[in-house]
Amino acid sequence: MTTTFHPTGITPEDDTAELRELAVTRLRKRRELQAHVLAYVLVNLFLNGIWLVTTPGGFYWPMFPLFGWGIGVAFHIWDVLAPENPPEDRIRREMDRLSRR
């Protein structure tokens, strides 16, 4: 077996393993988000059903869990869909800003 020199020290196999790990992590995060949104929708439909059966014209109390839990769902969506690493141009701008101090 022969070994080849890679200037970066990272072999193609290492790179593939890192990409696979990143892909699996992202897919798990998306699956967890799907489960969270499904639970949010089903539970809030159930609560709205209770409200509709018990006090259809009364105070709309399901708004509290809708809004409260909705904030958590919004942050979960942001965590999954926002890029983990900032784009290179933003990094460069921040470095320039810091160097002017």
Side-chain angles (χ1 to χ4, degrees), residues 5-101:
F5 173 74
H6 293 279
T8 62
I10 299 173
T11 64
E13 293 82 20
D14 292 339
D15 193 35
T16 302
E18 285 181 31
L19 282 174
R20 186 181 194 306
E21 185 176 331
L22 179 61
V24 168
T25 301
R26 286 188 178 180
L27 289 171
R28 277 197 186 119
K29 283 178 130 185
R30 285 180 183 242
R31 181 68 176 179
E32 290 167 359
L33 175 61
Q34 289 171 344
H36 191 180
V37 169
L38 180 62
Y40 173 78
V41 168
L42 291 177
V43 168
N44 282 296
L45 281 173
F46 179 69
L47 293 175
N48 276 281
I50 292 172
W51 171 79
L52 190 60
V53 169
T54 58
T55 54
F59 179 71
Y60 185 68
W61 55 265
M63 73 177 148
F64 296 113
L66 273 168
F67 291 130
W69 193 355
I71 293 169
V73 170
F75 277 110
H76 197 164
I77 290 170
W78 183 28
D79 178 52
V80 171
L81 299 181
E84 292 180 18
N85 299 321
E88 191 60 38
D89 61 328
R90 290 184 67 194
I91 294 170
R92 187 63 58 194
R93 268 196 323 253
E94 185 65 15
M95 288 172 61
D96 292 343
R97 189 185 68 78
L98 290 170
S99 67
R100 286 186 290 241
R101 284 186 162 181

